[in-house]
Amino acid sequence: MRQLMMRRRGSQTATPGTGDDAHRRRRLPTSGAALTVSIVALVVAMGGSAYAGITLGKNSVGTKQLQKGAVTNGKIAKGAVGLGKLKTGLVVPNALHADTADSATNATNATNATNATNATTATSATSATSATTATTAANGFVSFGTFNGPVGTIPVSSGFVFAGPTTTLTTTAGQTIMASSEAPLGTLATTATVEVSICKSPATGTPALTLLDTLTPDGYSISVATTTRIPFAAAAAGAPGAGTWKIGECVNNTSTTQAVNNTDYVSGYAYVTTGSPVPGSSAVKPGSATPGHGS
């Protein structure tokens, strides 16, 4: 019995640090620290996830938030930028509107183009090659024609008749026709007095022949055709009004006995301009011309 009691007393006063209970008491502090670290790490991780989950509100990013060069060409969707978003004059090549272009090859509207090759409307073009409408052309030139061919015989007391072929030109009200030509004329016998000028005749309707120059009184030259054939020149300008006209050199044989029957080819040209004629622009007045030449 005594020995049993001593054994019990001995077990109760066992040295600390031995047995399972002592082992568990030593590990508890270590487990508590690890738990604390784990909790802190969890909180940080959850905070980072919450931050990453934040979304930006609509219209919250403006010009100040964008860095210079942040929007690159690859970030712009195809067709996203239309003409309404482009600053005027920002895009020059292949522009639909060329307000002040040195050369507008295919411009829809070229207001002040030096050279508009295929412009629909060229308001003030120096040279509009294929413009539908050229409001103010620098040279004022509209159309051009030539005439060349045999004169034929001009009978006695002929009145003004065309000396050979003519050219046909169309004018609007206020436009001017300018023409110049020469025709070799002569006779086979005696002399014949002739009047030489540029005439016009309506291309349709009654073919009444009248002088192109209506501003100069008696706008023709007077000369004498002889057996020596020589060139008779003429030049004139006139505004016939709106219409289509035959234009050519004309001769009036005033002789009552001798036809002008020693002739050759007439050669001349005429063109339409936007200018206005002035008096004295045609052949010289009667009696002041050198034989065979008009001014």
Side-chain angles (χ1 to χ4, degrees), residues 4-19 25:
L4 177 61
M5 293 178 63
M6 291 178 67
R7 286 197 295 272
R8 292 177 178 174
R9 191 179 297 116
S11 63
Q12 293 175 356
T13 60
T15 303
T18 61
R25 284 196 297 272

Side-chain angles (χ1 to χ4, degrees), residues 220-222 283-291 293 295:
Y220 52 85
S221 62
I222 300 176
V284 297
K285 296 180 180 180
S288 61
T290 301
H293 299 277
S295 62

Side-chain angles (χ1 to χ4, degrees), residues 121-145:
T121 303
T123 304
S124 299
T126 301
S127 177
T129 304
S130 299
T132 302
T133 303
T135 305
T136 305
N139 57 11
F141 184 84
V142 179
S143 59
F144 180 82

